[in-house]
Amino acid sequence: MTETNTQLLDCIIEGIQERKGKKITLVDLSDIENVATQNFIICQGTSTMHVSSIADSIREYVRQKTGDKPFNYDGYENSQWIVIDYGTIYVHVFLPEYRELYKLEQLWSDAAITEVPDLD
């Protein structure tokens, strides 16, 4: 992983933790062929307002710390699942029931998966 990618991952995690996002999971897809990105970061909020707040925090934190803006983002309409595309990293912010429904960690179970402990 490049230093730039590591810095971006760290900033995204800090942005999630800034708004008390929970159950942060890193999914390293870099050793898997034919994937759209190198990494997923998956986390969850407790309500639609919390999910959108976490996503906003990520975008603001990354822009302030690295100057990077996402290529795209989607899901703010209902804030049940927001995805933010940083090219080499896709960030998924879920409500718990939608995270359980889509089970991205199980879908990519052949990837290297790392859990980040909650701060509290």
Side-chain angles (χ1 to χ4, degrees):
M1 187 178 310
T2 67
E3 184 177 330
T4 303
N5 230 18
T6 302
Q7 182 184 14
L8 182 56
L9 279 170
D10 291 343
C11 284
I12 291 168
I13 291 169
E14 289 172 24
I16 294 167
Q17 292 173 331
E18 181 74 21
R19 296 284 169 87
K20 308 230 184 292
K22 300 291 182 196
K23 297 188 177 180
I24 302 168
T25 303
L26 306 178
V27 181
D28 182 351
L29 303 166
S30 59
D31 289 335
I32 300 174
E33 292 184 26
N34 302 319
V35 293
T37 190
Q38 294 176 1
N39 295 281
F40 281 170
I41 297 180
I42 305 167
C43 69
Q44 64 190 46
T46 57
S47 66
T48 56
M49 185 174 282
H50 192 209
V51 167
S52 62
S53 175
I54 293 167
D56 288 344
S57 177
I58 294 164
R59 291 173 42 223
E60 292 167 14
Y61 203 89
V62 168
R63 191 183 81 250
Q64 289 173 355
K65 296 291 182 179
T66 69
D68 291 337
K69 294 180 183 177
F71 292 105
N72 205 352
Y73 49 88
D74 193 25
Y76 276 93
E77 303 81 30
N78 57 27
S79 296
Q80 297 166 339
W81 174 10
I82 295 176
V83 63
I84 307 170
D85 174 3
Y86 283 102
T88 59
I89 302 170
Y90 291 175
V91 185
H92 300 273
V93 186
F94 283 100
L95 282 175
E97 57 268 28
Y98 287 88
R99 184 176 185 171
E100 179 60 30
L101 177 67
Y102 291 103
K103 300 180 182 189
L104 293 183
E105 293 94 333
Q106 289 179 4
L107 180 65
W108 295 101
S109 62
D110 51 343
I113 296 176
T114 305
E115 303 288 331
V116 177
D118 290 341
L119 291 181
D120 56 356

